[in-house]
Structures are given as C-alpha cells and as structure tokens.
Amino acid sequence: MFNTILYEIKDSVAWITLNRPEKLNSFNEAMHTELQEALQSAENDKNIRAIVLTGAGRAFSAGQDLSEVDNSTDYGGLLRSRYNPIIQKMSEIGKPIIAAVNGTAAGAGFSLALAADFRLVSEKASFLNAFVHIGLVPDSGNTYYLPRIVGHAKALELMVLGEKVSAAEAERLGLATKVITVEDWESDVSAFAGRLASMPTKAIGLMKEGVIRSWNSTLENVLEGEAHAQSLAGLSTDHQEGVQAFLEKRQPLFTGD
C-alpha cells in the first residue's frame, strides 16, 4: 500500500512507521504524500481510537532529505505544500496521537514529534533543532509548539544554539511524556497506546480542540467553548457508560462513541 511508511492496525491503534531507515527516515516527496494519506485514513476509520507515529531503524526522523533540495528550492512553497498540511491535520484529528520517538528526532522530525499529543521517548533517543546549522529557521510548527511546551526562553535557546537534547533532558523539560528503556520499548509503547485507545475518544478529541483554541482566546471564549464541548460530550454513549459504571462501582467499557 505504501513505499516509504508502514501502516498497521492493531487493537484499535493505527501504527504509522516512517520507513526510510537508510536515510534516517528523512522526508522526501513520497513520504509526505503517504503520511498525509495514512493520517487521513486513521482519522476516517471509526474503529481506530489512537495513532502511533514512530520510525524504522535507529532514527525517528532526521527531517528533510537534503538531497531533494538545491539552490533553486522554494522552501516556503515546500512547507506550504508538504509539511504544513501534515502538522495541521495532526492538530485536527480528534484522536490521541503518540510520537514514539525511537531515536534521533532532528529538524522537521523534531517538529513532527512536537505536533503529537504525547511523546514517548526511548532512552537512546535525542532531539535536535538542526535548522540553525544550515542557516534556516525552525518550521513545521516548531515555533508554535516548542515555546508552549518548554517556555519562551528555553525554546529560543534550543532554536538558536541548536544543541542536542538527550532523552533525560527532554523529560526534565516536559518534552517527553515518558522515557522508556530499550528493553521495555515495545511493550510500554503498546500499553500506553492501548490505554488511550480504551478511553472516551470523543471527549479526548474535544479536549484537544479546546486546548488549542484556548491559546489564542479570551477567558470568556474559553468558558463558552467548554460549555459547548461539554454539551457534545454529555450526549455521547461513553458519558452514559461512564456514569453507569461509576454507579455500579466497576470499570467503564468505553467504545469511542
């Protein structure tokens, strides 16, 4: 089905693996197209309730494949046509997205991880805002997400100095949801994804939407947004199941509806 990514569905989780290990999963045109298609497919499939993005081999993604660009490349056009639609789609999908950062996440690979809702990080992984080393600026949502995660000063430091961030430092900065040992990598990522897939999907989607909207809203607008979202969540089957389970003193069995 795909040539540059792997797409697999397991237990209501869509696993999307960037699959150009010989190129450290750097992005070429085909990978952009296929990743957009995979995200769209995962969004449309009602049976999928969580998404995992990871990389094959020793890297998560090294960013743009520089062999595909030259002095005539319009980087703005490249971003508008390839990268930006992916980052925008990730923010719009009403399902939790996990970046399982198995190795190096550099440049736009770092940005891709930032755009996910959770970042599970292998103890051998690292992050690098590599743009400055080739005279470019962070892109693909990097200047949007990074300051909101680590704060203004630290974000600018990581962008300007372009120094590698270890898994342990990423956890300290709040970049990593969890750092996982190599031995426990597959089992822990699967368990975390399974946990999210068993939760009330519609409510999670409304949370994502509300948090993103709140960054540029007044308190009045946020309060109204919460009221609207709560009205929608209150009509869901999962809400009814949650209340019933509470009354019956048992664990709820959410379906995502």
Side-chain angles (χ1 to χ4, degrees):
M1 182 178 179
F2 296 114
N3 295 315
T4 64
I5 68 170
L6 302 175
Y7 186 81
E8 185 178 10
I9 301 173
K10 295 185 293 185
D11 301 323
S12 300
V13 178
W15 292 77
I16 302 174
T17 304
L18 307 180
N19 191 35
R20 300 184 72 217
E22 73 286 355
K23 294 287 189 178
L24 300 182
N25 302 317
S26 58
F27 279 91
N28 61 7
E29 183 175 4
M31 183 180 280
H32 280 115
T33 300
E34 292 183 354
L35 181 53
Q36 288 186 53
E37 291 176 1
L39 289 170
Q40 188 65 60
S41 179
E43 180 182 33
N44 293 342
D45 190 339
K46 293 183 178 180
N47 294 317
I48 291 175
R49 296 170 60 193
I51 299 168
V52 175
L53 286 175
T54 192
R58 61 190 180 92
F60 177 71
S61 174
Q64 173 63 35
D65 186 341
L66 294 179
S67 69
E68 274 211 338
V69 301
D70 56 33
N71 291 338
S72 65
T73 298
D74 175 7
Y75 286 104
L78 187 67
L79 289 168
R80 295 184 185 99
S81 64
R82 296 192 196 177
Y83 286 96
N84 293 358
I86 291 171
I87 302 303
Q88 189 68 47
K89 173 57 66 178
M90 290 173 66
S91 75
E92 295 170 351
I93 292 176
K95 302 173 184 181
I97 300 175
I98 304 161
V101 185
N102 54 299
T104 300
F110 187 4
S111 302
L112 185 70
L114 291 173
D117 304 308
F118 303 91
R119 280 157 296 282
L120 302 183
V121 180
S122 167
E123 63 181 350
K124 64 179 182 179
S126 62
F127 297 93
L128 179 65
N129 245 337
F131 303 93
V132 69
H133 298 305
I134 54 173
L136 294 177
V137 301
D139 58 34
S140 305
N142 198 294
T143 61
Y144 182 81
Y145 285 110
L146 189 58
R148 288 168 168 82
I149 295 173
V150 304
H152 175 103
K154 178 57 69 171
L156 194 59
E157 176 188 323
L158 295 178
M159 292 174 190
V160 173
L161 300 183
E163 296 176 346
K164 184 181 293 186
V165 177
S166 68
E169 179 69 0
E171 186 171 39
R172 189 185 71 81
L173 293 175
L175 276 171
T177 304
K178 180 182 181 182
V179 173
I180 302 173
T181 63
V182 174
E183 293 76 16
D184 295 330
W185 178 249
E186 291 188 10
S187 61
D188 280 16
V189 172
S190 294
F192 191 88
R195 176 184 176 186
L196 290 178
S198 71
M199 297 176 74
T201 311
K202 184 172 293 185
I204 293 174
L206 290 168
M207 291 178 201
K208 285 183 60 171
E209 182 181 343
V211 168
I212 291 173
R213 188 191 304 114
S214 74
W215 288 337
N216 297 301
S217 296
T218 64
L219 174 60
E220 181 181 10
N221 288 337
V222 168
L223 291 172
E224 176 53 36
E226 289 174 344
H228 175 69
Q230 201 70 298
S231 293
L232 296 176
L235 297 173
S236 68
T237 302
D238 278 345
H239 168 62
Q240 297 174 21
E241 165 62 11
V243 172
Q244 193 64 32
F246 176 80
L247 295 174
E248 295 175 2
K249 295 181 173 58
R250 59 173 175 81
Q251 289 296 315
L253 296 174
F254 296 122
T255 63
D257 297 320

